[in-house]
Amino acid sequence: MEVNRLLGWAVLKLKHHYKRKHYTKIGSAQTIIDADSAATMAKYLANMRILHHEAIVDETYMNCYYDSSTQVLNNGGLTLISAEYFPFGYELLRSVRQSFSDKHLNDHGNDSV
């Protein structure tokens, strides 16, 4: 499922980003977000995921959200989106896909973004 592959990747990258902001930018004048907010965001993003060992014992998750091709690709580094956030991820990716169709890009060019 593309939700786990694409949104999972985005959640992982953002979580690492906010963790770095929290640990390495404390007291820095270049900080765009304060350390407490960064820690809160990292925690929120961590709650959007489910760990592999939790997913494989959840029959509903396995049947609905963790397809066999994604399982084969997961060698321990894939961030799996929790069932609670899966509908949001599906709608988000559906919206992005519709917004950037060949027809839309041809009709609107660079104004598509």
Side-chain angles (χ1 to χ4, degrees), residues 10-96:
V11 166
L12 175 69
K13 293 298 182 182
L14 280 171
K15 190 167 97 28
H16 288 310
H17 171 77
Y18 284 116
K19 273 186 158 181
R20 270 195 319 274
K21 290 265 186 221
H22 174 66
Y23 291 117
T24 62
K25 300 288 187 178
I26 294 174
S28 171
Q30 298 173 355
T31 303
I32 296 171
I33 187 170
D34 64 272
D36 289 337
S37 296
T40 301
M41 287 300 294
K43 185 176 180 181
Y44 179 82
L45 291 163
N47 289 331
M48 289 182 72
R49 68 184 177 150
I50 183 172
L51 300 175
H52 174 77
H53 71 273
E54 297 168 334
I56 61 174
V57 297
D58 184 335
E59 190 174 325
T60 301
Y61 193 87
M62 293 297 289
N63 290 332
C64 298
Y65 307 115
Y66 200 13
D67 63 305
S68 58
S69 64
T70 303
Q71 291 175 45
V72 169
L73 291 173
N74 189 0
N75 60 3
L78 186 64
T79 298
L80 301 172
I81 300 300
S82 69
E84 180 182 0
Y85 289 96
F86 219 88
F88 160 75
Y90 179 81
E91 287 301 316
L92 175 67
L93 292 174
R94 185 183 66 76
S95 176
V96 169

